[in-house]
Amino acid sequence: MIVSRFEAQTAKAVYIYLLRGTKRTLLIDSGLSDTPEDVLLPGLAAEHLEPQQLTDCVITHADCDHCGGDAALRLTCPHLHLHAPTGDRAMIEQPERLMHQRYEAYEARHGVGYDPETKTWIAQTAGRATPVDSVLNPGDTIDLGGGTLEVMALPGHTAGHLGLHHVEESTLYVGDALLGHGEYALDGTLHAPPSYVTVSGYLDTIERVRALRPERLMFAHREVVEGSGIAPFLDECTRWVHEVDAAVQRGVQRPGGATLRELMEEHATSFGTFNAPVDLMYALSAHLDALVEKGLAHKSLATQTSGTPERFQWVR
């Protein structure tokens, strides 16, 4: 099986993998709305492939830089079969739902979110509504001919995030499922913190990958990690979660507790100097919700009419 990597660029690199077997030619993710025209079609041509030879595209999860190219790719690749994880399907198929349920998810409850300019960019790059042809579930396999991909559940970053394990090569394509201590921008600076919507899901993914013991990890926004570098990388992922959890618990234990906005402001640079510190909303909110689920904290409900966000306080 032949593996190629294409690179789209925003503030950070977006890596899209092309896997060619004797039966299928498959892309992992479609990038942003303009990625097919700007990157993927020229990339296919450089590999001496015609658009009609592309048979499959697997979307790892619902994010505009992973599924935004679906509509354009379908238009140009007539034999394309589009696959998506069951848990993220609705957001992948419907950009408006993706905006509301993912990128605007913290506005009503917490009064935090992206600025209008960023939301306009997201809407433009998320592409048009596009139905998928099939959903993938853990344990499903894709026979490329000369290589088998096994679908793995890698939740946390999103509820339905999947990974693809190339069994014969012991290579795991993880998308955004594992994020170390953050994503790097093209200029080498830290771009965004690790983002996950459930703490338990993200920790389960770390341990699931540790138990699999692959020989290499392939990412959407960073270079390959392989061999002896995998265990320290997974430890780094776990360490970041524990550091954030401790910081959130300290904030909630203070007299009066804390809101998500207060924690974001307090820890804007605690875990690194990020170009997009607003993305702390994902992990910090996940930790707050986890404390409530464990019975360690309680929350006051948000009042949209008065603009009062949820406040979290330690159960004493």
Side-chain angles (χ1 to χ4, degrees), residues 29 31 49 60 63 99 116 157 170 178 198 208 242 249-250 267 307:
D29 290 328
L49 293 171
T60 58
D63 260 329
M99 177 68 80
H157 182 67
S170 189
L178 298 167
T198 60
R208 191 168 295 154
H242 292 327
Q249 289 197 36
R250 289 193 299 270
H267 296 292

Side-chain angles (χ1 to χ4, degrees), residues 99-177:
M99 177 68 80
H100 179 65
Q101 294 184 351
R102 183 148 176 78
Y103 302 119
E104 297 176 337
Y106 306 98
E107 293 181 4
R109 291 178 56 200
H110 302 290
V112 299
Y114 293 111
D115 58 46
E117 182 180 357
T118 300
K119 288 170 67 173
T120 297
W121 179 85
I122 291 171
Q124 292 171 343
T125 58
R128 299 185 303 279
T130 306
V132 302
D133 298 299
S134 67
V135 292
L136 295 174
N137 294 291
D140 289 346
T141 58
I142 301 173
D143 179 9
L144 297 176
T148 301
L149 299 179
E150 182 178 357
V151 178
M152 291 184 62
L154 300 179
H157 182 67
T158 66
H161 196 301
L162 63 75
L164 293 173
H165 181 214
H166 182 191
V167 178
E168 291 84 357
E169 294 294 329
S170 189
T171 297
L172 182 59
Y173 295 87
V174 301
D176 289 353

Side-chain angles (χ1 to χ4, degrees), residues 65-243:
D65 55 343
H66 292 260
C67 61
D70 288 0
L73 201 60
R74 186 182 289 286
L75 282 175
T76 54
C77 301
H79 304 304
L80 181 73
H81 196 86
L82 190 61
H83 312 264
T86 299
D88 283 6
R89 176 178 183 171
M91 289 192 291
I92 288 170
E93 291 185 323
Q94 303 171 48
E96 289 185 0
R97 181 172 290 197
L98 176 65
M99 177 68 80
H100 179 65
Q101 294 184 351
R102 183 148 176 78
Y103 302 119
E104 297 176 337
Y106 306 98
E107 293 181 4
R109 291 178 56 200
H110 302 290
V112 299
Y114 293 111
D115 58 46
E117 182 180 357
T118 300
K119 288 170 67 173
T120 297
W121 179 85
I122 291 171
Q124 292 171 343
T125 58
R128 299 185 303 279
T130 306
V132 302
D133 298 299
S134 67
V135 292
L136 295 174
N137 294 291
D140 289 346
T141 58
I142 301 173
D143 179 9
L144 297 176
T148 301
L149 299 179
E150 182 178 357
V151 178
M152 291 184 62
L154 300 179
H157 182 67
T158 66
H161 196 301
L162 63 75
L164 293 173
H165 181 214
H166 182 191
V167 178
E168 291 84 357
E169 294 294 329
S170 189
T171 297
L172 182 59
Y173 295 87
V174 301
D176 289 353
L178 298 167
L179 295 163
H181 63 269
E183 298 175 334
Y184 282 87
L186 295 173
D187 62 6
T189 58
L190 267 176
H191 177 67
S195 56
Y196 42 89
V197 296
T198 60
V199 178
S200 60
Y202 192 62
L203 288 173
D204 284 349
T205 286
I206 295 169
E207 294 312 310
R208 191 168 295 154
V209 173
R210 197 188 301 275
L212 183 67
R213 301 180 66 182
E215 293 184 10
R216 66 191 58 80
L217 300 176
M218 310 290 276
F219 302 87
H221 305 297
R222 67 184 299 151
E223 295 298 330
V224 61
V225 176
E226 56 188 333
S228 61
I230 292 178
F233 172 75
L234 295 175
D235 291 342
E236 178 185 309
C237 294
T238 304
R239 185 164 53 251
W240 202 90
V241 173
H242 292 327
E243 289 175 359

